[in-house]
């Protein structure tokens, strides 16, 4: 059977546009068949289009021809139907559907395309496996309530972001995709040049240098919603290409920038989720966040703060604590209210949990009546030490205290993650709450033990605090950066900094990073030169758009808010990319690949 | 001298926000120094920010300290100034500036950054050479009236495009950049995969397949403003990466799509240029356009149509005409009204002009009193042939008739281009007119002599006309495509087609293109499969955004509407991309490049 063609037919209504005002009118609708059922000689079809569902009725007494044609149709066939809108009989009204009171008596049916039986039913609430969904993404997209709805929200959010930023006098400027490597810390995707064999473009990890150049160019308020690329080994929820809301401003400092960003978030949450946010957002310094939550992206929807007890156990006999302190490490406690809810097994499992973050274990104490400790380590601590700890963490009977003793990094990693883990396990995280937090005053550098030198914690264009400038040479580890992250419910959704705008400071920072002047000149000469021609004070921020949309839609993974995501092996399940190419293509590029074995 | 820091200072006004309402108020402004002049002991500075200019006055009687500081400042230094708004004395009012009646008496000056003397003056109307401008793009951007203004228009146009399409219920969906080769006819940029050595991603030449998959997925109305990539030898005004407005719709045909696109253009032209457009736009078939204008993108702002005279000279003795017709070619005339304005040299130069388009020459005749021909070829044509030609082209004394005789392609290429060339030369092209034109019914295939097979004229996903389907196997050259271009003032600004939505038709078109089923399966198997699951009738269009902005701004090149354009050698004058990379990077990718010689 050859399908029909549109041949001049024009849709008059989308499904959900049909209303009681249209009763007895002739309309024309088009879409996919979700379900078809034969009921007492009458055929009922649920037609699906991009707005929703509409019931079509093929009644032989109304139109013998269209009834006959409707016998053939199957799920996911594409049809166009001309018919008359009717009110459904009382007993077949569906209150769950916007069009549930209506149906269309079809006079004429066009079958525009057939479909093979879909590999999974599209009217099922239970989605198929991910592997099947991604291979048949085009069918997955037709399911109401899945990725399709997420992409509609995404469109709406991105539109709102743009309209907000436009109203604040920002302008969107496009920057190159075929560019040079920038020192963002991750691996670049490279693009071989055909015209200059042996030379390569790099796909941008972010438009960092370009947006700073735009500030030198006087644009003052820039944004771009832009694809960025990182050739990393893909952890849980990363994609090799991801979308960034990239922002840069001139002549303003943190306070004003934060204000604009907070109003932007407020608008999104209000208009998309109907949730009011309280402004301004709270802020913690990096020091405070690490000290209280063991994390630079703490989830502040719940308490369970960490407590340093190093001073209490400073002269303890307990070897684990003692060694940690002697090695310059720390000892911290995490009190779990009513930790008695944790089983023996839960507590035994903590060793494995700690191991993930490089820890050797987590000691614990169950607090009993009178403050007594039931704990494998009770005997190693003096009674006064135990009392002081109880007091410090305000433990009451029924609580559990967990202990970490190791380096600053390990203790905070273990207890910070444990805090999230236990809060989720014990149901202490309020659903539907959205708590934003600024984290500020990050260290400028972190020492890379392996490389034996300092590395930029944010990136090397981040401005140090003016009052810490003199530490750049004498004690780089102490230099604070004017860098900040925006954290939502324990996820870092954005980060940025006030930038260096003086070439002398930029050169000193390169030098602190062990980049010698020659290398700096070779890699960033054009940028250092730009800084010499009247760069204004400037700074900015970048947000992970995929992540924000995932939070807004409640999606479990950013893959659910991306039309065509890649797998953890960076392949495309739909197209099969990457793929081998023709030898002539490689020859033109002057590159060789090892022969396949 | 160490620059000052903002340290809490906040700008109260942008330059052009300052008005007479602010007189006697204290304001704070920030920006760059455009000019500084010392006049009778008082220093005047033109401050430039992103909105415009504002005059600052440093009067020692008003503030000795700030006057002293102002001695140091030079062009392009970055400053912040706190001062009092005053009305200028009558004699120093500048009526050309929005702020020309005002000035600011500065109480306090901060020098935020210094600048080396710029390599070209920024207050000059004459731009420096392109090479200098692109190297110092950040300074070029500060010039009022140049690329800076173009980028502002670009932002505005792109915002309007989005708001229009959103209001028409389109949704913007992002598609992958790391994907597979699609058969667009141009060379792909490749990205080596690290995880699968020997495999490559391709950067998209357009999101063609993905937007069609989105239609199969039921989105019905998609758009995206997206970067695309073609690794071509760069002709005059092309860029290796360019921006496309990509659109796809389902369940509609040409008429409805054209209507939406026309209203989109109408909105842009009205809101950006204040120019009303008349809708609907005129349309010509490919046949008509070639016949009348010798071009599939005719500039219809002027006449000068071509006339076929093959039937008049069908039995001529004139060898050039005779040979052309015998070889299956054509003979056409282009009458130039008052062609007497063309000099002997102009006419002699036509041979070289023709050569560019593969022609051997252009014959001409000057029309004298009584219709007499003054022409090197007059003697080869009979008097009745000459009369019939005069009559056909409506020649009057003073006109010049130009002749092309060769293959269909060469004659039209030569005369079509000559038409544009002479119209420009003779001042026949009305400035400030904007004439849109649809060109439709393109041939489906063109025969590639070199490859000895047919190639898709648009691309292989274009739908043939339903009534031409049966010619696919018997006479592919005659198959018309449902393809169309939108032409503005002789430039193709957009093109698209109704697509094939039946897998059987897609397979037949692949076969007509000499792509055997196995190859089709290997390359596009996923797409052919998608067509089998209920693909709706769909079609779309894509516009060159850079080109449209260039037309709207009157820019001479698309490089003037791109922040960081590349050279004709596909290099970036600012960053130096492409560049060699570290050997370790190539090792990780498993690729080898030839050693530098």
């Amino acid at each position: 059977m050859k399908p029909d063609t549109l041949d001049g037919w024009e849709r008059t209504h989308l499904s959900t546009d049909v209303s009681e005002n249209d009763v007895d009118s002739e309309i024309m609708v088009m879409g996919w068949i979700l379900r078809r059922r034969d009921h007492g000689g009458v055929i009922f079809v649920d037609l699906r289009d991009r707005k929703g569902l509409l019931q079509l009725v093929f009644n032989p007494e109304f139109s013998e021809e269209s009834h006959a044609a409707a016998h053939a149709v199957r799920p996911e066939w594409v049809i166009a139907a001309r018919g008359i809108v009717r009110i459904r009989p009382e007993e077949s009204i569906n209150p769950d559907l916007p069009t549930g009171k209506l149906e269309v008596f079809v006079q004429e049916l066009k079958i525009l395309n057939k479909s093979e039986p879909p590999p999974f039913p599209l009217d099922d609430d239970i989605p198929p496996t991910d592997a099947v969904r991604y291979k048949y993404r085009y069918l997955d997209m037709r399911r109401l309530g899945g990725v399709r709805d997420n992409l509609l929200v995404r469109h709406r959010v991105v539109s709102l972001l743009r309209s907000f930023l436009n109203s604040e006098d920002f302008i969107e400027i496009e920057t190159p995709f075929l560019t040079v490597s920038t020192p963002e810390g991750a691996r670049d995707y490279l693009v071989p040049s055909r015209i200059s064999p042996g030379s390569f473009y790099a796909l941008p990890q972010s438009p960092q240098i370009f947006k700073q150049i735009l500030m030198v160019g006087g644009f003052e308020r820039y944004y771009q919603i832009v694809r960025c690329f990182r050739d990393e080994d893909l952890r849980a929820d990363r994609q090799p290409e991801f979308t960034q809301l990239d922002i840069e401003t001139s002549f303003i400092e943190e306070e004003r920038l934060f204000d604009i960003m907070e109003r932007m978030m407020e608008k999104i949450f209000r208009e998309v989720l109907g949730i009011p946010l309280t402004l301004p957002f709270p802020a913690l310094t990096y020091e405070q966040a690490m000290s209280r939550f063991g994390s630079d992206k703490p989830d502040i929807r719940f308490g369970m703060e960490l407590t340093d007890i190093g001073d209490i156990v400073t002269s303890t006999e307990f070897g684990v604590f003692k060694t940690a302190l002697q090695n310059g490490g720390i000892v911290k406690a995490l009190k779990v209210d009513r930790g008695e809810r944790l089983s023996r097994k839960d507590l035994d499992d903590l060793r494995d949990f700690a191991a993930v973050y490089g820890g050797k274990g987590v000691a614990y104490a169950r607090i009993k009546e009178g403050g007594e400790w039931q704990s494998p380590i009770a005997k190693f601590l003096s009674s006064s030490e135990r009392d002081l700890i109880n007091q410090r963490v305000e433990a009451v009977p029924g609580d559990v205290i967990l202990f970490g003793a190791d380096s600053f990094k390990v203790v905070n990693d273990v207890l910070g993650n444990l805090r999230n883990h236990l809060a989720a396990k014990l149901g202490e995280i309020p659903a539907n709450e959205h708590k934003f937090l600024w984290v500020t005053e990050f260290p400028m550098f972190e020492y890379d033990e392996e490389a034996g030198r300092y590395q930029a914690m944010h990136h090397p264009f981040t401005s140090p605090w003016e009052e810490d400038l003199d530490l750049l040479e004498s004690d780089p580890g102490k230099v604070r950066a004017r860098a900040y992250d925006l954290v939502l419910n324990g996820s870092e959704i954005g980060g940025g900094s006030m930038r260096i705008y003086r070439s002398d400071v930029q050169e000193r920072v390169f030098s602190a990073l062990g980049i010698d002047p020659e290398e700096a000149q070779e890699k960033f000469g054009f940028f250092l030169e730009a800084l010499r021609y009247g760069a204004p004070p400037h700074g900015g921020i970048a947000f992970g758009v995929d992540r924000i949309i995932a939070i807004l839609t409640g999606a479990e993974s950013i893959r659910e808010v991306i039309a065509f995501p890649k797998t953890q092996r960076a392949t495309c399940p739909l197209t099969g990319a990457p793929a081998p190419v023709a030898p002539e293509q490689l020859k033109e590029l002057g590159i060789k690949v090892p022969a396949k074995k």
Side-chain angles (χ1 to χ4, degrees), chain A:
Chain A
M1 187 196 70
K2 204 178 113 178
D4 298 312
T5 54
L6 279 175
D7 211 16
W9 275 34
E10 290 206 12
R11 174 152 67 183
T12 62
H13 290 70
L14 285 160
S15 59
T16 53
D17 294 343
V18 182
S19 75
E20 292 182 43
N21 296 330
D22 300 306
V23 168
D24 295 334
S25 305
E26 183 180 288
I27 66 169
M28 194 174 283
V29 291
M30 302 183 184
W32 288 261
I33 287 170
L34 179 62
R35 274 182 291 259
R36 173 192 157 282
R37 59 196 181 283
D38 205 319
H39 191 70
V42 177
I43 295 170
F44 295 88
V45 156
D46 287 338
L47 180 79
R48 188 193 61 240
D49 62 20
R50 74 178 187 275
K51 293 290 181 183
L53 299 175
L54 184 65
Q55 176 164 293
L56 307 184
V57 182
F58 298 85
N59 188 324
E61 292 174 18
F62 186 78
S63 161
E64 207 165 316
E65 197 181 351
S66 76
H67 177 262
H71 270 291
V73 303
R74 292 290 176 275
E76 299 314 315
W77 288 29
V78 187
I79 62 165
R82 191 171 56 77
I84 305 290
V85 180
R86 295 273 171 86
I87 296 279
R88 295 195 198 181
E90 195 69 42
E91 66 277 13
S92 61
I93 285 177
N94 180 347
D96 296 335
L97 270 190
T99 60
K101 280 180 111 167
L102 304 168
E103 58 193 7
V104 179
F105 270 63
V106 177
Q107 294 160 310
E108 195 178 351
L109 173 70
K110 281 196 179 199
I111 293 171
L112 298 171
N113 214 348
K114 293 186 284 184
S115 170
E116 294 188 7
F120 52 87
L122 272 79
D123 60 348
D124 205 335
D125 283 343
I126 300 154
T129 65
D130 282 356
V132 172
R133 283 203 303 122
Y134 293 128
K135 180 167 188 316
Y136 297 98
R137 189 60 152 179
Y138 42 89
L139 295 176
D140 188 33
M141 282 170 171
R142 289 189 202 156
R143 293 190 310 120
L144 302 171
V147 61
R148 162 205 151 90
D149 291 9
N150 293 343
L151 292 177
L152 290 168
V153 171
R154 184 176 182 126
H155 171 66
R156 179 123 181 274
V157 171
V158 166
S159 300
L160 285 170
L161 290 171
R162 284 200 166 95
S163 73
F164 174 82
L165 290 166
N166 293 353
S167 75
E168 295 280 328
D169 228 0
F170 282 76
I171 86 162
E172 186 162 17
I173 301 177
E174 296 182 56
T175 52
F177 278 71
L178 297 172
T179 181
V180 289
S181 233
T182 59
E184 305 278 328
R187 212 183 273 111
D188 286 315
Y189 278 105
L190 298 180
V191 182
S193 161
R194 179 178 51 86
I195 300 178
S196 313
S199 284
F200 293 79
Y201 303 97
L203 297 179
Q205 296 186 32
S206 91
Q208 184 62 34
I209 285 195
F210 288 111
K211 69 177 177 176
Q212 292 193 237
I213 293 272
L214 288 171
M215 293 304 103
V216 180
F219 280 100
E220 300 194 24
R221 291 194 165 199
Y222 145 95
Y223 77 96
Q224 191 180 187
I225 295 177
V226 61
R227 201 71 52 83
C228 300
F229 304 85
R230 293 188 183 197
D231 185 10
E232 290 298 287
D233 298 310
L234 299 175
R235 276 184 283 150
D237 207 16
R238 292 270 181 103
Q239 287 278 308
E241 48 178 318
F242 56 96
T243 302
Q244 184 161 303
L245 168 59
D246 197 48
I247 287 174
E248 196 77 6
T249 61
S250 296
F251 298 115
I252 68 177
E253 297 182 288
E254 288 87 340
E255 194 181 356
R256 180 66 43 224
L257 179 65
F258 287 10
D259 170 62
I260 301 171
M261 296 301 101
E262 291 175 4
R263 287 186 290 111
M264 181 175 81
M265 289 298 167
E266 194 276 333
K267 181 181 163 114
I268 301 295
F269 273 71
R270 182 165 35 82
E271 297 206 9
V272 177
L273 296 183
I275 291 179
L277 297 179
T278 307
L279 306 190
F281 297 156
L284 292 174
T285 66
Y286 173 84
E287 279 293 332
Q288 293 168 330
M290 292 306 286
S291 151
R292 289 173 50 187
F293 301 99
S295 168
D296 59 3
K297 48 181 185 192
D299 189 337
I300 57 168
R301 286 176 297 175
F302 57 94
M304 287 180 70
E305 298 193 13
L306 313 187
T307 312
D308 195 294
I309 55 164
D311 58 322
I312 296 177
V313 297
T314 187
S315 48
T316 186
E317 290 307 304
F318 180 35
V320 173
F321 288 5
K322 197 165 143 184
T323 314
L325 293 174
Q326 275 168 354
N327 293 341
I330 59 172
V331 182
K332 276 174 124 174
L334 166 60
K335 182 194 66 170
V336 182
D337 286 332
R338 297 188 294 121
E340 60 196 359
R341 289 172 289 169
L342 297 169
S343 69
R344 173 67 187 263
K345 180 169 184 311
D346 289 338
L347 293 174
D348 285 346
D349 285 349
L350 295 182
R351 172 183 289 271
D352 292 343
F353 189 93
V356 173
Y357 301 96
K360 286 183 285 288
V362 176
Y364 64 86
R366 291 182 184 275
I367 307 304
K368 298 291 172 185
E369 286 308 318
E372 281 309 302
W373 284 27
Q374 179 188 333
S375 164
I377 67 164
K379 57 177 176 286
F380 301 118
L381 294 171
S382 70
S383 135
S384 96
E385 283 169 337
R386 297 196 304 264
D387 284 349
L388 283 167
I389 292 170
N390 281 353
Q391 231 173 305
R392 171 82 53 91
V393 303
E394 300 177 5
V396 299
D399 290 350
V400 163
I401 308 176
L402 304 171
F403 299 96
D406 206 315
S407 68
F408 176 87
K409 183 172 161 35
V410 169
V411 169
N412 284 315
D413 268 5
V414 170
L415 293 187
N417 282 292
L418 200 48
R419 177 179 169 268
N420 292 333
H421 171 72
L422 293 176
K425 186 179 180 73
L426 296 172
E428 304 281 349
I429 305 178
N432 301 320
E433 256 191 45
H434 292 88
K435 288 274 177 77
F436 283 90
L437 172 74
W438 291 104
V439 179
T440 63
E441 295 188 31
F442 278 83
M444 185 76 191
F445 307 105
E446 53 190 349
Y447 195 73
D448 183 335
E449 299 286 350
E450 221 170 289
R453 61 180 182 83
Y454 283 101
Q455 296 211 325
M457 194 147 174
H458 189 54
H459 56 54
F461 311 114
T462 300
S463 177
W465 280 59
E466 186 75 13
E467 50 267 57
D468 295 352
L469 275 182
D470 289 339
L471 299 170
L472 272 176
E473 290 79 16
S474 58
D475 194 355
K478 285 241 168 66
V479 177
R480 287 165 303 162
R482 291 179 69 178
Y484 33 80
D485 280 351
L486 185 58
V487 175
L488 170 57
N489 294 352
S491 286
E492 181 213 317
I493 59 166
S497 62
M498 292 293 135
R499 321 298 182 189
I500 297 165
Y501 58 96
R502 284 162 44 193
S503 55
D504 59 328
V505 177
Q506 186 66 70
E507 282 163 17
R508 286 170 69 189
V509 167
F510 280 148
S511 161
L513 288 166
I515 302 176
D516 66 39
E518 206 170 316
E519 186 185 353
Q521 189 54 39
E522 188 190 323
K523 283 196 177 160
F524 310 111
F526 69 97
F527 182 66
L528 288 169
E529 185 170 22
L531 293 183
R532 283 195 284 270
Y533 286 102
H538 64 286
I541 191 164
F543 295 94
V545 171
D546 309 301
R547 178 83 45 213
I548 290 174
I549 309 292
I551 292 174
L552 286 167
T553 56
E556 276 182 24
S557 156
I558 61 171
R559 287 199 298 273
E560 301 311 318
V561 301
I562 294 171
F564 304 105
K566 294 206 165 52
T567 66
Q568 299 232 347
R569 300 273 304 159
T571 61
C572 172
L574 182 74
T575 64
V581 295
E584 309 86 68
Q585 288 180 279
L586 298 182
K587 203 175 157 201
E588 274 196 308
L589 295 172
I591 65 178
K592 287 200 168 96
V593 301
K596 286 268 169 206
K597 279 157 202 161

